Amino acid sequence: MSKKTNHIDSTSANTIIAKRRNLPDAQQLITQICSGNTTALSRSITLVESTAARHQAIAQEILTGCLPHANKSIRIGITGVPGVGKSTFIEALGHHLTQQGKKIAVLAIDPSSSISHGSILGDKTRMETLSVNERAFIRPSAAGDSLGGVARKTREAIILCEAARYEVILIETVGVGQSETAVHAMTDFFLLLKLAGAGDELQGIKRGIMEMADLLVINKADGDNKNAAKLAASAFAKALHLYPAKESEWSPKVKRCSALQNEGIEEIWETISNYIKLVNENGYFETNRKKQNTYWLKNTIENTLKDNFYSDPKIKAKLPLLLEALNEGKTTPFQAAQELLKKV
């Protein structure tokens, strides 16, 4: 009995492996995505995130097919340090939007384990009720080793979500390093979550992040923290007036909310809607999207050149030798770099 079971298990495993090796049909996936099939959407995002050459080829075909159906959503970047309540806030905002009949997608970029390179926090498990909402799609992605903790393929995932007719795309950053800059360059509205009673130094939020924010929200404004949140909101509102005027002609706002108690969420969405109305009327919405396309074109070129450089067999062979010579003081970093660049 045991041998028979093992044989069946082995056969089943081989069948599953064989199926996984078969590449899906791109046109079929495109059709399914455009009809709102979340399984096809998830599978396509997995292909986009894959570094395998055979997966990248089909991923590009899917992206090309989905592009005419994209660019019809509102993209919102949400940032703040770990512990500020990003996931709770997104769940509260997500429920508010789905109750209005909107379809939302959440692209949550998790910190990565330095050992397994997998997601540490697991946003789907932290958004328990939103994750089972049929009008919501949540996709957690490990940040990996990409710059600033931003999953390299997040922007492509946005296109796929838009083709699947999601009207609002919420992008949650890790909240550390330079991830905010990259997310700001792929969204229409940038929301910064902060806590009352914790200074900028403690929260790790620099002036540059404050300048990027279109809305600053003091979260956890409930219970004994209400007064502190009110004072913090007043202080930040005064500070925002010192920053240069935005090209969008929008004056950044400061709001308070309690995501846990679901208080202030409706007012926050109203603020976002007012911003979108303004930038659509003055033309900044389209101008910003065009600037972002230019940014990501150059970013993709830089990343591709870097990847191609380090994957070149000649570089792979020479780099360890030059590193050894560098450590022995026989060359300088600049000389070593020039020698490697001549190999390409």
PDB file of all heavy atoms in Angstrom, residues 188-207:
ATOM      1  N   ASP A 188      -0.483  58.858  -9.050  1.00  0.00           N
ATOM      2  CA  ASP A 188      -1.099  60.161  -9.301  1.00  0.00           C
ATOM      3  C   ASP A 188      -1.221  60.976  -8.022  1.00  0.00           C
ATOM      4  O   ASP A 188      -1.274  62.211  -8.069  1.00  0.00           O
ATOM      5  CB  ASP A 188      -2.505  59.974  -9.903  1.00  0.00           C
ATOM      6  CG  ASP A 188      -2.485  59.088 -11.130  1.00  0.00           C
ATOM      7  OD1 ASP A 188      -1.694  59.370 -12.047  1.00  0.00           O
ATOM      8  OD2 ASP A 188      -3.257  58.103 -11.173  1.00  0.00           O
ATOM      9  N   PHE A 189      -1.302  60.286  -6.896  1.00  0.00           N
ATOM     10  CA  PHE A 189      -1.505  60.936  -5.606  1.00  0.00           C
ATOM     11  C   PHE A 189      -0.632  60.247  -4.575  1.00  0.00           C
ATOM     12  O   PHE A 189      -0.569  59.011  -4.528  1.00  0.00           O
ATOM     13  CB  PHE A 189      -2.990  60.837  -5.204  1.00  0.00           C
ATOM     14  CG  PHE A 189      -3.360  61.646  -3.988  1.00  0.00           C
ATOM     15  CD1 PHE A 189      -3.782  62.957  -4.115  1.00  0.00           C
ATOM     16  CD2 PHE A 189      -3.305  61.094  -2.717  1.00  0.00           C
ATOM     17  CE1 PHE A 189      -4.148  63.709  -3.002  1.00  0.00           C
ATOM     18  CE2 PHE A 189      -3.658  61.830  -1.602  1.00  0.00           C
ATOM     19  CZ  PHE A 189      -4.087  63.140  -1.738  1.00  0.00           C
ATOM     20  N   PHE A 190       0.050  61.037  -3.737  1.00  0.00           N
ATOM     21  CA  PHE A 190       0.992  60.467  -2.773  1.00  0.00           C
ATOM     22  C   PHE A 190       0.557  60.819  -1.360  1.00  0.00           C
ATOM     23  O   PHE A 190       0.454  61.993  -1.007  1.00  0.00           O
ATOM     24  CB  PHE A 190       2.401  61.005  -3.054  1.00  0.00           C
ATOM     25  CG  PHE A 190       3.494  60.207  -2.407  1.00  0.00           C
ATOM     26  CD1 PHE A 190       3.738  58.890  -2.766  1.00  0.00           C
ATOM     27  CD2 PHE A 190       4.302  60.781  -1.436  1.00  0.00           C
ATOM     28  CE1 PHE A 190       4.754  58.158  -2.177  1.00  0.00           C
ATOM     29  CE2 PHE A 190       5.317  60.055  -0.841  1.00  0.00           C
ATOM     30  CZ  PHE A 190       5.547  58.744  -1.207  1.00  0.00           C
ATOM     31  N   LEU A 191       0.269  59.801  -0.564  1.00  0.00           N
ATOM     32  CA  LEU A 191      -0.255  59.975   0.793  1.00  0.00           C
ATOM     33  C   LEU A 191       0.774  59.496   1.811  1.00  0.00           C
ATOM     34  O   LEU A 191       1.270  58.370   1.729  1.00  0.00           O
ATOM     35  CB  LEU A 191      -1.562  59.197   0.928  1.00  0.00           C
ATOM     36  CG  LEU A 191      -2.389  59.373   2.202  1.00  0.00           C
ATOM     37  CD1 LEU A 191      -3.869  59.082   1.900  1.00  0.00           C
ATOM     38  CD2 LEU A 191      -1.922  58.460   3.329  1.00  0.00           C
ATOM     39  N   LEU A 192       1.076  60.364   2.758  1.00  0.00           N
ATOM     40  CA  LEU A 192       2.057  60.047   3.806  1.00  0.00           C
ATOM     41  C   LEU A 192       1.352  59.878   5.147  1.00  0.00           C
ATOM     42  O   LEU A 192       0.680  60.781   5.625  1.00  0.00           O
ATOM     43  CB  LEU A 192       3.098  61.169   3.889  1.00  0.00           C
ATOM     44  CG  LEU A 192       4.095  61.128   5.059  1.00  0.00           C
ATOM     45  CD1 LEU A 192       4.940  59.862   5.011  1.00  0.00           C
ATOM     46  CD2 LEU A 192       4.986  62.366   5.038  1.00  0.00           C
ATOM     47  N   LEU A 193       1.478  58.698   5.734  1.00  0.00           N
ATOM     48  CA  LEU A 193       0.912  58.421   7.051  1.00  0.00           C
ATOM     49  C   LEU A 193       1.941  58.716   8.131  1.00  0.00           C
ATOM     50  O   LEU A 193       3.105  58.328   8.002  1.00  0.00           O
ATOM     51  CB  LEU A 193       0.480  56.955   7.162  1.00  0.00           C
ATOM     52  CG  LEU A 193      -0.816  56.537   6.465  1.00  0.00           C
ATOM     53  CD1 LEU A 193      -0.962  55.020   6.515  1.00  0.00           C
ATOM     54  CD2 LEU A 193      -2.033  57.199   7.074  1.00  0.00           C
ATOM     55  N   LYS A 194       1.495  59.397   9.180  1.00  0.00           N
ATOM     56  CA  LYS A 194       2.396  59.698  10.288  1.00  0.00           C
ATOM     57  C   LYS A 194       1.700  59.441  11.617  1.00  0.00           C
ATOM     58  O   LYS A 194       0.482  59.266  11.673  1.00  0.00           O
ATOM     59  CB  LYS A 194       2.864  61.164  10.224  1.00  0.00           C
ATOM     60  CG  LYS A 194       3.768  61.452   9.029  1.00  0.00           C
ATOM     61  CD  LYS A 194       4.240  62.889   9.022  1.00  0.00           C
ATOM     62  CE  LYS A 194       5.323  63.151  10.035  1.00  0.00           C
ATOM     63  NZ  LYS A 194       6.600  62.525   9.681  1.00  0.00           N
ATOM     64  N   LEU A 195       2.493  59.404  12.674  1.00  0.00           N
ATOM     65  CA  LEU A 195       1.976  59.216  14.025  1.00  0.00           C
ATOM     66  C   LEU A 195       2.170  60.486  14.836  1.00  0.00           C
ATOM     67  O   LEU A 195       3.145  61.206  14.644  1.00  0.00           O
ATOM     68  CB  LEU A 195       2.698  58.058  14.723  1.00  0.00           C
ATOM     69  CG  LEU A 195       2.483  56.655  14.161  1.00  0.00           C
ATOM     70  CD1 LEU A 195       3.431  55.679  14.840  1.00  0.00           C
ATOM     71  CD2 LEU A 195       1.043  56.212  14.340  1.00  0.00           C
ATOM     72  N   ALA A 196       1.254  60.750  15.748  1.00  0.00           N
ATOM     73  CA  ALA A 196       1.409  61.894  16.644  1.00  0.00           C
ATOM     74  C   ALA A 196       2.386  61.528  17.750  1.00  0.00           C
ATOM     75  O   ALA A 196       2.439  60.384  18.192  1.00  0.00           O
ATOM     76  CB  ALA A 196       0.058  62.259  17.265  1.00  0.00           C
ATOM     77  N   GLY A 197       3.206  62.498  18.151  1.00  0.00           N
ATOM     78  CA  GLY A 197       4.113  62.267  19.268  1.00  0.00           C
ATOM     79  C   GLY A 197       5.412  61.601  18.907  1.00  0.00           C
ATOM     80  O   GLY A 197       6.232  61.315  19.775  1.00  0.00           O
ATOM     81  N   ALA A 198       5.637  61.334  17.628  1.00  0.00           N
ATOM     82  CA  ALA A 198       6.906  60.749  17.185  1.00  0.00           C
ATOM     83  C   ALA A 198       7.536  61.712  16.193  1.00  0.00           C
ATOM     84  O   ALA A 198       6.952  62.000  15.153  1.00  0.00           O
ATOM     85  CB  ALA A 198       6.686  59.390  16.535  1.00  0.00           C
ATOM     86  N   GLY A 199       8.704  62.236  16.526  1.00  0.00           N
ATOM     87  CA  GLY A 199       9.363  63.228  15.673  1.00  0.00           C
ATOM     88  C   GLY A 199       9.826  62.650  14.362  1.00  0.00           C
ATOM     89  O   GLY A 199       9.886  61.441  14.167  1.00  0.00           O
ATOM     90  N   ASP A 200      10.156  63.542  13.424  1.00  0.00           N
ATOM     91  CA  ASP A 200      10.653  63.093  12.115  1.00  0.00           C
ATOM     92  C   ASP A 200      11.877  62.214  12.260  1.00  0.00           C
ATOM     93  O   ASP A 200      12.083  61.268  11.502  1.00  0.00           O
ATOM     94  CB  ASP A 200      11.001  64.301  11.238  1.00  0.00           C
ATOM     95  CG  ASP A 200       9.735  64.979  10.713  1.00  0.00           C
ATOM     96  OD1 ASP A 200       8.654  64.400  10.866  1.00  0.00           O
ATOM     97  OD2 ASP A 200       9.870  66.074  10.163  1.00  0.00           O
ATOM     98  N   GLU A 201      12.738  62.532  13.230  1.00  0.00           N
ATOM     99  CA  GLU A 201      13.968  61.751  13.399  1.00  0.00           C
ATOM    100  C   GLU A 201      13.628  60.310  13.761  1.00  0.00           C
ATOM    101  O   GLU A 201      14.210  59.362  13.242  1.00  0.00           O
ATOM    102  CB  GLU A 201      14.839  62.368  14.494  1.00  0.00           C
ATOM    103  CG  GLU A 201      15.353  63.784  14.187  1.00  0.00           C
ATOM    104  CD  GLU A 201      14.306  64.840  14.440  1.00  0.00           C
ATOM    105  OE1 GLU A 201      13.289  64.526  15.077  1.00  0.00           O
ATOM    106  OE2 GLU A 201      14.505  65.974  13.978  1.00  0.00           O
ATOM    107  N   LEU A 202      12.660  60.163  14.672  1.00  0.00           N
ATOM    108  CA  LEU A 202      12.282  58.813  15.098  1.00  0.00           C
ATOM    109  C   LEU A 202      11.586  58.054  13.983  1.00  0.00           C
ATOM    110  O   LEU A 202      11.751  56.852  13.828  1.00  0.00           O
ATOM    111  CB  LEU A 202      11.360  58.887  16.324  1.00  0.00           C
ATOM    112  CG  LEU A 202      12.003  59.381  17.621  1.00  0.00           C
ATOM    113  CD1 LEU A 202      10.949  59.490  18.712  1.00  0.00           C
ATOM    114  CD2 LEU A 202      13.106  58.428  18.062  1.00  0.00           C
ATOM    115  N   GLN A 203      10.785  58.749  13.188  1.00  0.00           N
ATOM    116  CA  GLN A 203      10.034  58.077  12.139  1.00  0.00           C
ATOM    117  C   GLN A 203      10.868  57.866  10.883  1.00  0.00           C
ATOM    118  O   GLN A 203      10.480  57.132   9.989  1.00  0.00           O
ATOM    119  CB  GLN A 203       8.783  58.881  11.773  1.00  0.00           C
ATOM    120  CG  GLN A 203       7.755  58.929  12.901  1.00  0.00           C
ATOM    121  CD  GLN A 203       6.413  59.377  12.386  1.00  0.00           C
ATOM    122  OE1 GLN A 203       5.853  58.758  11.484  1.00  0.00           O
ATOM    123  NE2 GLN A 203       5.891  60.443  12.933  1.00  0.00           N
ATOM    124  N   GLY A 204      12.007  58.509  10.795  1.00  0.00           N
ATOM    125  CA  GLY A 204      12.860  58.330   9.623  1.00  0.00           C
ATOM    126  C   GLY A 204      12.312  59.023   8.390  1.00  0.00           C
ATOM    127  O   GLY A 204      12.649  58.674   7.270  1.00  0.00           O
ATOM    128  N   ILE A 205      11.408  59.996   8.579  1.00  0.00           N
ATOM    129  CA  ILE A 205      10.833  60.715   7.443  1.00  0.00           C
ATOM    130  C   ILE A 205      11.621  61.993   7.206  1.00  0.00           C
ATOM    131  O   ILE A 205      11.708  62.849   8.068  1.00  0.00           O
ATOM    132  CB  ILE A 205       9.355  61.060   7.702  1.00  0.00           C
ATOM    133  CG1 ILE A 205       8.537  59.777   7.879  1.00  0.00           C
ATOM    134  CG2 ILE A 205       8.783  61.904   6.576  1.00  0.00           C
ATOM    135  CD1 ILE A 205       8.459  58.901   6.653  1.00  0.00           C
ATOM    136  N   LYS A 206      12.199  62.119   6.043  1.00  0.00           N
ATOM    137  CA  LYS A 206      13.016  63.279   5.715  1.00  0.00           C
ATOM    138  C   LYS A 206      12.175  64.349   5.002  1.00  0.00           C
ATOM    139  O   LYS A 206      11.068  64.098   4.545  1.00  0.00           O
ATOM    140  CB  LYS A 206      14.179  62.839   4.816  1.00  0.00           C
ATOM    141  CG  LYS A 206      15.071  61.794   5.477  1.00  0.00           C
ATOM    142  CD  LYS A 206      15.844  62.394   6.638  1.00  0.00           C
ATOM    143  CE  LYS A 206      16.862  61.409   7.185  1.00  0.00           C
ATOM    144  NZ  LYS A 206      16.390  60.579   8.255  1.00  0.00           N
ATOM    145  N   ARG A 207      12.742  65.518   4.889  1.00  0.00           N
ATOM    146  CA  ARG A 207      12.033  66.642   4.270  1.00  0.00           C
ATOM    147  C   ARG A 207      11.602  66.300   2.843  1.00  0.00           C
ATOM    148  O   ARG A 207      10.522  66.698   2.404  1.00  0.00           O
ATOM    149  CB  ARG A 207      12.942  67.877   4.264  1.00  0.00           C
ATOM    150  CG  ARG A 207      12.346  69.025   3.480  1.00  0.00           C
ATOM    151  CD  ARG A 207      13.134  70.291   3.595  1.00  0.00           C
ATOM    152  NE  ARG A 207      12.653  71.259   2.606  1.00  0.00           N
ATOM    153  CZ  ARG A 207      12.783  72.551   2.719  1.00  0.00           C
ATOM    154  NH1 ARG A 207      13.377  73.061   3.761  1.00  0.00           N
ATOM    155  NH2 ARG A 207      12.332  73.362   1.784  1.00  0.00           N
TER     156      ARG A 207
END
